[in-house]
RNA sequence: GCCCCCGUAGCUCAUCCGGACAGAGCAUCUGCCUUCUAAGCAGAGGGUAGCAGGUUCGAGUCCUGCCGGGGGUACCA
């Protein structure tokens, strides 16, 4: 990665300040106001060491570097209040930066920190037999985004869908199916038939509590391998998976493995045995637990008093299986923050087992998606299906396309990409720890800070290259890129590697969203004010190189988010 | 009760691990399409950053308390 601007400032100040170049770099910041320059170095923290007022220090330092300027890519500097502000030379900036982006292409900004090691991501994980709703969206799109990001950082990612495909809810469904189900129900959209059965069950069970017992009984039969129950379960499983796979393909979800809870049924005994051998378990109130009181994590339940296992037991079996199978360098669980304690317990147990790799496991938590003031609940039927959201977004996008660009060749396809782009972006752009209020207005908005705006920006750039017709080359006169809008674009491009790094460190897709939005704003401001393709071939060539570099970054960024970089729209 | 998260413009969100007058979008209002895509651009209005203290040269950002919302807290996931 290239940090040449920051390096130059470090070298420039190195002799004049009694702190290390590393500390200089760490303190550099971006001024909020453009007039203050491109980079700023605050001197306040030196006041105590140098026993001087910050403005004096700034003056003092400035006077010592003044005759060295210009220095590297630093064109000028000035002391302003307690700051020293630096301006970067657009010519040197373009020369170094654009050449680098041009030659590195889609690799620009990425390091190879993963070095081919495995990284497993637990994502999506819906409960089988329930239609995919917007509440499932975040885990799916955040997980997929991190998957692509870490792939580009050299990891070999494995996306694991830990399906909720086991448990008493299947007993309920089987009871409901036997009592109220007909084959006709399943002829089309079987997943909604399953939902109806589920809702019906809860309605009937309110009047007749004995249904709950029947459900437990049916689930018990399923666990014991009863052929009829197994047959029904399998059908439901297939129906659900078919629907999920359809949705995953639309969302660009990255799933390699469908190993749900049922997959770990026969692997829990080994895990439990391991814990018992290490003396971690105890019996408390007739249940099998790991006592984590001394770590402030309460009691972790592994077996209920009736011997039944719990999801912690399955997750424990799963994490051991995954470590054993993949020997992962990192394991990410993209799961809502409601399960924070659960994962703290899980990771603590791994630590108590003596495994160092407990530090490689991370719970990537995120807030709820709410609808109106209510939590979404399948039972209550207070729910927005992802299918409906995607369909409405797609229809709206199609209307707009036909109005704005009626000649486009495949309007259906473009509409889907734009509609889905809006939906995905709306979810990724909010930092993970916030709850999201689902609103149709926001999900279907294509203006301003939205997915389609970014896609539109890319389409403009693609259009320029089509119009240009010639090969974009890096053999240009860099001195021609001297407009403030051009410099701003380059300064933003320069920061792409840092943003990727931050996004990866924080496991935070919103960092990339915010960055691409800013880059798009820069591009559109430039585009409005200046023409790219003109009679002036030298200037045209220079600007086309800049456009290519912006497009390279936009394209890679969009792909990481899971949005289609549109060629036309 | 205890633990965790959130509280910034009418609404939805940023604020670069403490820095210069807190920035965008949506909505409202005003301009800009015979020239590379107007899903765009330029501009206007709109703020006591929940409240009160504290640390600091400096706090939306860190600490304490309170208020409001959400989640978790042993046999759901």
């Amino acid at each position: 990665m290239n940090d040449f601007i920051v390096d130059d400032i470090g070298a420039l100040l190195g002799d004049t300040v009694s702190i290390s170049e590393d500390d200089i770099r760490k303190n550099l910041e971006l001024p909020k106001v453009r007039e203050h320059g491109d980079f700023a170095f605050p001197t306040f923290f030196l006041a105590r060491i140098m026993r001087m007022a910050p403005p004096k220090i700034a003056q003092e330092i400035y006077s010592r570097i003044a005759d060295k300027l210009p220095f590297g890519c630093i064109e000028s500097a000035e002391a302003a209040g307690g700051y020293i502000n630096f301006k970067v030379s657009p010519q040197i900036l373009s020369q170094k930066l654009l050449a680098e982006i041009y030659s590195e292409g889609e690799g620009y900004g990425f390091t190879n920190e993963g070095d081919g090691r495995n990284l497993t991501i637990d994502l999506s994980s819906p409960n089988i037999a329930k239609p995919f709703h917007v509440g499932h969206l975040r885990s799916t799109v955040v997980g997929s985004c991190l998957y692509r990001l870490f792939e580009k950082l050299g990891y070999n990612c494995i996306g694991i869908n830990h399906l909720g495909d086991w448990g008493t809810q299947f007993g309920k469904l089987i009871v409901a199916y036997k009592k109220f189900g007909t084959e006709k129900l399943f002829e089309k959209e079987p997943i909604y038939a399953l939902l109806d059965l589920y809702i019906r069950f809860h309605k009937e069970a309110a009047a007749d509590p004995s249904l709950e017992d029947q459900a437990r009984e049916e689930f018990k039969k399923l666990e014991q391998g009863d052929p009829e129950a197994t047959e029904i379960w399998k059908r439901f499983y297939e129906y659900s998976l078919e629907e999920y796979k359809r949705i995953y393909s639309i969302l660009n979800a990255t799933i390699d493995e469908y190993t749900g809870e049922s997959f770990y049924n026969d692997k829990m005994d080994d895990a439990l045995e391991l814990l018992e051998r290490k003396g971690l378990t105890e019996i408390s109130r007739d249940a099998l637990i790991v006592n984590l009181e001394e770590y402030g994590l309460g009691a972790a339940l592994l077996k209920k008093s009736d011997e039944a296992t719990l999801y912690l037991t399955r997750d424990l079996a799963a994490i051991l299986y995954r470590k054993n199978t993949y020997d992962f360098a990192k394991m990410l669980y993209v799961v809502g923050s409601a399960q924070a304690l659960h994962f703290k317990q899980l990771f603590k147990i791994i630590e108590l087992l003596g495994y160092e790799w407990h530090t490689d496991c991370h719970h990537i938590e995120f807030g709820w998606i709410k609808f109106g003031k209510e939590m979404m609940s399948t039972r209550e039927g207070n729910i927005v299906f992802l299918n409906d959201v995607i369909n409405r977004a797609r229809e709206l996008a199609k209307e707009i396309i036909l109005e704005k660009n009626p000649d486009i060749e495949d309007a259906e396809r473009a509409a889907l990409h734009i509609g889905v782009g809006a939906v995905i972006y709306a979810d990724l752009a909010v930092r993970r720890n916030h709850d999201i209020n689902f609103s149709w207005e926001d999900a279907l908005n294509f203006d301003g800070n939205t997915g389609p705006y970014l896609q539109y920006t890319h389409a403009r750039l693609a259009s320029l290259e089509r119009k240009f017709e010639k090969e974009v080359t890096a053999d240009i006169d860099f001195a021609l890129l001297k407009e403030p809008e051009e410099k701003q674009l380059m300064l933003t491009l320069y920061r792409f590697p840092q943003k990727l790094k931050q996004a990866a460190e924080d496991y935070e897709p919103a960092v990339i969203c915010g960055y691409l939005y800013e880059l798009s704003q820069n591009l559109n401001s430039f585009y409005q004010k200046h023409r790219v393709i003109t009679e002036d071939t030298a200037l045209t060539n220079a600007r086309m190189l800049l456009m290519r570099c912006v497009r390279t970054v936009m394209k890679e960024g969009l792909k990481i988010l899971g949005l289609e970089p549109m060629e036309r729209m």
Side-chain angles (χ1 to χ4, degrees), chain A residues 165-172 174-175 212-226 229 233 261 265 304 308-309 314:
Chain A
D165 61 0
W166 206 246
T168 331
Q169 79 239 32
F170 287 93
K172 294 176 181 175
I174 292 169
V175 170
E212 299 277 0
D213 293 332
Q214 292 178 42
R216 269 188 284 276
E217 190 57 33
E218 285 292 348
F219 180 61
K220 202 165 184 185
K221 278 160 77 180
L222 182 61
E223 278 194 301
Q224 287 160 354
D226 175 80
W233 174 81
E261 297 178 356
N265 267 341
K304 305 202 273 188
T309 56
R314 278 184 286 276

Side-chain angles (χ1 to χ4, degrees), chain A residues 9-283:
Chain A
I9 296 176
L12 180 61
L13 293 180
D15 303 335
T16 64
V17 189
S18 57
I19 59 172
S20 72
E21 280 189 32
D22 253 12
D23 285 334
I24 295 171
R25 271 191 273 243
K26 230 172 54 198
N27 278 288
L28 282 176
E29 50 190 71
L30 300 179
K32 283 183 186 145
V33 185
R34 189 79 54 81
E35 292 72 51
H36 286 150
D38 305 322
F39 286 83
F41 182 72
T43 60
F44 304 95
F45 70 102
L46 292 170
R48 193 172 319 213
I49 309 168
M50 298 176 68
R51 304 172 93 202
M52 262 198 274
K56 277 237 151 93
I57 298 173
Q59 286 291 350
E60 175 69 22
I61 294 176
Y62 172 72
S63 69
R64 284 191 227 164
I65 62 169
D67 54 352
K68 291 189 195 167
L69 293 167
F71 181 90
C73 62
I74 304 305
E75 176 180 76
S76 65
E78 62 171 358
Y83 293 87
I84 303 164
N85 296 322
F86 299 94
K87 283 206 166 113
V88 175
S89 149
Q91 184 174 342
I92 299 175
L93 176 62
S94 58
Q95 223 157 21
K96 289 197 165 179
L97 181 74
L98 300 186
E100 184 189 352
I101 299 175
Y102 182 82
S103 67
E104 292 194 14
E106 60 185 33
Y108 170 66
F110 296 95
T111 62
N112 186 32
E113 67 163 72
D115 199 24
R117 290 174 300 162
N118 285 339
L119 187 156
T120 45
I121 304 182
D122 186 312
L123 77 166
S124 199
S125 309
N127 286 329
I128 287 267
K130 294 178 191 171
F132 210 90
H133 61 77
V134 296
H136 295 121
L137 191 59
R138 281 195 110 174
S139 173
T140 310
V141 297
V142 169
S144 293
C145 177
L146 295 176
Y147 184 112
R148 290 179 218 100
L149 176 60
F150 282 102
E151 278 278 319
K152 293 274 308 188
L153 292 173
Y155 288 93
N156 177 48
C157 296
I158 299 119
I160 303 175
N161 200 341
H162 192 70
L163 295 167
D165 61 0
W166 206 246
T168 331
Q169 79 239 32
F170 287 93
K172 294 176 181 175
L173 279 167
I174 292 169
V175 170
Y177 173 71
K178 285 184 171 174
K179 284 199 185 314
F180 327 113
T182 62
E183 284 316 303
K184 232 183 114 196
L185 274 177
F186 291 95
E187 276 170 15
K188 57 173 191 185
E189 302 201 313
I191 191 127
Y192 290 96
L194 291 174
L195 174 68
D196 287 342
L197 285 178
Y198 190 73
I199 293 172
R200 179 87 183 266
F201 177 90
H202 282 283
K203 214 180 271 173
E204 303 278 344
D208 178 5
S210 76
L211 287 175
E212 299 277 0
D213 293 332
Q214 292 178 42
R216 269 188 284 276
E217 190 57 33
E218 285 292 348
F219 180 61
K220 202 165 184 185
K221 278 160 77 180
L222 182 61
E223 278 194 301
Q224 287 160 354
D226 175 80
E228 190 197 12
T230 304
E231 175 61 27
I232 298 174
W233 174 81
K234 219 169 165 188
R235 266 185 76 191
F236 291 177
Y237 183 93
E238 297 296 335
Y239 286 149
S240 309
L241 210 61
E242 197 179 325
E243 170 69 2
Y244 295 156
K245 284 187 171 169
R246 191 181 64 79
I247 286 183
Y248 291 144
S249 111
I250 291 173
L251 291 177
N252 285 314
T254 48
I255 288 166
D256 300 300
E257 203 182 279
Y258 291 83
T259 45
E261 297 178 356
S262 62
F263 179 80
Y264 296 103
N265 267 341
D266 58 0
K267 298 174 181 61
M268 286 185 285
D269 286 343
D270 286 350
L272 287 173
E273 200 190 311
L274 177 65
L275 261 65
E276 279 169 36
R277 208 165 354 112
K278 297 267 183 175
L280 295 178
T281 57
E282 58 185 74
I283 303 289

Side-chain angles (χ1 to χ4, degrees), chain A residues 201-419:
Chain A
F201 177 90
H202 282 283
K203 214 180 271 173
E204 303 278 344
D208 178 5
S210 76
L211 287 175
E212 299 277 0
D213 293 332
Q214 292 178 42
R216 269 188 284 276
E217 190 57 33
E218 285 292 348
F219 180 61
K220 202 165 184 185
K221 278 160 77 180
L222 182 61
E223 278 194 301
Q224 287 160 354
D226 175 80
E228 190 197 12
T230 304
E231 175 61 27
I232 298 174
W233 174 81
K234 219 169 165 188
R235 266 185 76 191
F236 291 177
Y237 183 93
E238 297 296 335
Y239 286 149
S240 309
L241 210 61
E242 197 179 325
E243 170 69 2
Y244 295 156
K245 284 187 171 169
R246 191 181 64 79
I247 286 183
Y248 291 144
S249 111
I250 291 173
L251 291 177
N252 285 314
T254 48
I255 288 166
D256 300 300
E257 203 182 279
Y258 291 83
T259 45
E261 297 178 356
S262 62
F263 179 80
Y264 296 103
N265 267 341
D266 58 0
K267 298 174 181 61
M268 286 185 285
D269 286 343
D270 286 350
L272 287 173
E273 200 190 311
L274 177 65
L275 261 65
E276 279 169 36
R277 208 165 354 112
K278 297 267 183 175
L280 295 178
T281 57
E282 58 185 74
I283 303 289
S284 166
R285 301 185 217 169
D286 291 333
L288 182 71
I289 69 160
V290 179
N291 189 337
L292 300 174
E293 291 291 348
E294 60 177 301
Y295 309 104
L297 297 175
L301 264 80
L302 296 169
K303 268 191 174 178
K304 305 202 273 188
S305 46
D306 67 357
E307 295 279 288
T309 56
L310 289 141
Y311 75 127
L312 180 62
T313 329
R314 278 184 286 276
D315 265 345
L316 200 54
I319 199 170
L320 293 168
Y321 172 84
R322 289 167 185 175
K323 183 65 189 176
N324 196 39
T325 307
Y326 297 113
D327 192 27
F328 52 74
K330 277 181 203 278
M331 165 85 230
L332 310 183
Y333 288 90
V334 187
V335 180
S337 53
Q339 296 191 35
L341 178 61
H342 166 75
F343 284 108
K344 283 197 181 113
Q345 291 180 334
L346 178 64
F347 302 158
K348 178 55 82 176
I349 291 171
I350 295 300
E351 182 184 351
L352 294 177
L353 282 169
Y355 296 134
E356 303 254 323
W357 50 268
H358 72 272
T359 53
D360 301 329
C361 304
H362 305 278
H363 176 205
I364 313 305
E365 50 184 302
F366 54 86
W368 289 96
I369 300 192
K370 295 182 285 188
F371 183 49
K373 294 202 116 159
E374 305 293 317
M375 292 302 148
M376 290 203 213
S377 155
T378 308
R379 290 186 200 183
E380 315 282 332
N382 168 34
I383 207 163
V384 180
F385 298 124
L386 186 62
N387 232 357
D388 297 337
V389 179
I390 290 172
N391 284 336
R392 278 175 69 172
R394 186 214 315 245
E395 282 161 25
L396 185 61
K398 198 178 166 191
E399 279 176 35
I400 297 174
I401 288 171
L402 294 179
E403 174 196 324
K404 294 182 188 277
N405 199 352
D407 300 331
I408 199 163
E409 70 275 30
D410 192 348
E412 271 323 315
R413 207 184 71 96
L416 180 62
H417 283 146
I418 293 163

